[in-house]
Structures are given as structure tokens and as C-alpha cells.
Amino acid sequence: MLQNRVKELRARYGFSQGELGERVGVTRQTIAFIEKGEFSPSVTLALKLAREFEVKVDELFWLEGEKPS
Amino acid sequence: MKKDFRVQYPLWQMAFIILFGFIAISLTGASSEMIQNDLEFSYSLQFPALESILLFITLAMTFILLIIFIMKITNHNKRHPQQKLSFWQIKPIEYLEEDEGMIYITRRAAQKVYTFFVWALPFVAMIYLLFNLSRLWIVIGILFLAFMQYLIFYIEVRKYLSKDED
């Protein structure tokens, strides 16, 4: 199971799910699935999200049981 | 998204399947007569009163639904010119594929449908083998499988989309 900080960072940057989706080229629903941990994004999408939030991918996503970087 | 025509499409198919079932009931209740010889060829169908009424109502409803269905597709194509739908496309209309999240939902729903068929097809085949069923029951069995296919797909997609909130 992949954990993530997408919701937290999205709130910090003041993006709605739709806005973030538009910036990385996916639908609002996909952002919602990622935030809930129901869907693990591809490496490409993970990289795009990390770039939007100006963090490394492993600061944004990490495996359950491991501490985020 | 829940109002997206592609999400609602299985419901339309389910409605058409029910109507087709009524048409099958009407037609199998009819008696047919075919004359074919050197002098003439004729084919006639005679419906009992109840079947006639049923067939008439069903055909009328099918026609009305078909018009609404075409209008819905036209509206969808106007609103989403980048995701145009067509009657004649090979890929099922209900597939959501605009990004990897939607592909994931479609894959999950399609997997559930596949699992259903893995069990249902041998089961139905066994029933047809064991029982001497009429043409109507064979058609109803096939329609039941098709109905369940759309129902499972719809429930699975809705399950994901109903959880989504901003």
C-alpha cells in the first residue's frame, strides 16, 4: 500500500483537486483516488506531482510502514 | 462525472435488454406459418391478443428510448468533443479512459465482469444441457448474462465515483 502527502501539499499550495489534476494532466477523480490511497499512480504521474509540489518523489509517496523521507 | 453518459450507458443497455426480453416473449408466443412451393412463398405470424399488446407497447417504448438515447449521445459529443462516442465504435462506450485513474476503474470493473462470466457461462451451459428448455428460455438466459454484465460494470464504476469528493 502506498502512502502519500498529496492532500496535505495540495492544501498547502491552495489547489483544488481539479486544479491539481489540470496541472498534471489527469481528472479530478484520479487526484481523489490517489489522495485516498485507492490508486497508486504511475512513475510518470508521481514525478509530475512531485514537480508541482517541489519535492522529491519519495517525500510525496512512500510504502506503508516506512517513514517518509 | 456520475452524470457522464459513459457512466450511465450500462443502465441504458440494461433497459434495452429488458425490452428485448419482452419482445422475445411476444414473438415466441406467436404462431408462424410458412408456405414455400413452386407457386407461392408466404410467411405469416399470428399473435394472441396479449402478446400483440405487449409487442406493440414494447416496440413503442424501444423506439422512444432509442430517440432519447441518440439525443444523449449527441449531447455528450457536443459537450465533450475530445471524447466523441459513436454507435459503431468497436470499443465499448462505457470504458472510461481519459487518464490512468479512469483506466484503473475501467480495469477493475472489467475484471469483475470477467470473473462473473468465468462462473456464469459454464453454469448456464450446464442448465441448457440438463434441461430441455424452449427457445424463449435460452434467449432469456443470454439476456440475463448480458444484463448482469452491465449491472456489475455499473455498480463497480459507481462505487469508485461515489466515493470521490473534493
Side-chain angles (χ1 to χ4, degrees):
Chain A
M1 183 80 175
L2 203 61
Q3 306 287 306
N4 71 78
R5 292 169 59 205
V6 173
K7 192 171 187 175
E8 175 201 327
L9 289 171
R10 179 173 65 78
R12 193 182 295 173
Y13 277 72
F15 296 145
S16 68
Q17 289 176 337
E19 282 165 349
L20 178 60
E22 231 171 79
R23 295 175 85 99
V24 296
V26 297
T27 56
R28 183 175 67 79
Q29 287 77 17
T30 295
I31 299 295
F33 297 148
I34 293 170
E35 287 182 355
K36 289 190 182 114
E38 286 175 3
F39 169 64
S40 300
S42 65
V43 176
T44 311
L45 182 53
L47 285 166
K48 284 181 182 174
L49 287 165
R51 192 178 60 196
E52 281 303 319
F53 295 133
E54 298 169 305
V55 292
K56 290 179 184 167
V57 174
D58 61 357
E59 291 172 318
L60 190 57
F61 296 98
W62 65 94
L63 293 171
E64 198 172 21
E66 291 181 7
K67 286 187 176 175
S69 301
Chain B
M1 190 78 192
K2 279 179 268 181
K3 288 180 181 168
D4 189 314
F5 182 70
R6 292 168 305 161
V7 176
Q8 294 175 346
Y9 177 79
L11 296 177
W12 284 89
Q13 286 300 327
M14 284 152 68
F16 283 122
I17 286 166
I18 290 170
L19 289 172
F20 190 85
F22 283 122
I23 291 173
I25 290 169
S26 317
L27 288 178
T28 50
S31 55
S32 61
E33 186 186 15
M34 188 166 85
I35 300 168
Q36 186 177 14
N37 56 38
D38 293 342
L39 298 172
E40 90 176 281
F41 173 80
S42 71
Y43 183 79
S44 64
L45 272 174
Q46 281 188 318
F47 292 95
L50 185 64
E51 277 81 355
S52 302
I53 294 167
L54 185 64
L55 184 64
F56 177 76
I57 293 171
T58 309
L59 286 176
M61 282 179 70
T62 305
F63 183 70
I64 292 165
L65 266 186
L66 203 59
I67 289 171
I68 300 170
F69 181 74
I70 291 167
M71 282 164 61
K72 285 261 182 189
I73 284 196
T74 311
N75 278 347
H76 175 93
N77 288 346
K78 271 185 196 164
R79 263 190 263 163
H80 307 280
Q82 74 286 1
Q83 296 165 5
K84 282 197 171 178
L85 303 174
S86 159
F87 276 125
W88 316 115
Q89 67 185 56
I90 293 173
K91 197 185 285 182
I93 284 178
E94 62 270 31
Y95 281 10
L96 306 168
E97 294 189 304
E98 53 266 60
D99 66 28
E100 57 187 75
M102 297 297 110
I103 291 171
Y104 171 75
I105 294 174
T106 301
R107 196 186 76 206
R108 290 296 304 243
Q111 277 176 337
K112 289 232 166 151
V113 172
Y114 182 87
T115 307
F116 165 73
F117 274 118
V118 162
W119 292 98
L121 284 177
F123 179 73
V124 170
M126 189 59 77
I127 286 178
Y128 287 167
L129 201 64
L130 292 176
F131 302 99
N132 188 18
L133 297 171
S134 68
R135 196 172 48 155
L136 174 63
W137 282 107
I138 290 172
V139 171
I140 285 178
I142 293 167
L143 292 179
F144 171 76
L145 292 176
F147 186 90
M148 289 304 294
Q149 166 193 332
Y150 286 112
L151 182 65
I152 292 167
F153 194 94
Y154 177 74
I155 288 173
E156 189 65 12
V157 169
R158 275 299 299 249
K159 193 177 84 184
Y160 279 97
L161 295 181
S162 59
K163 284 186 207 161
D164 131 64
E165 57 195 18
D166 207 349

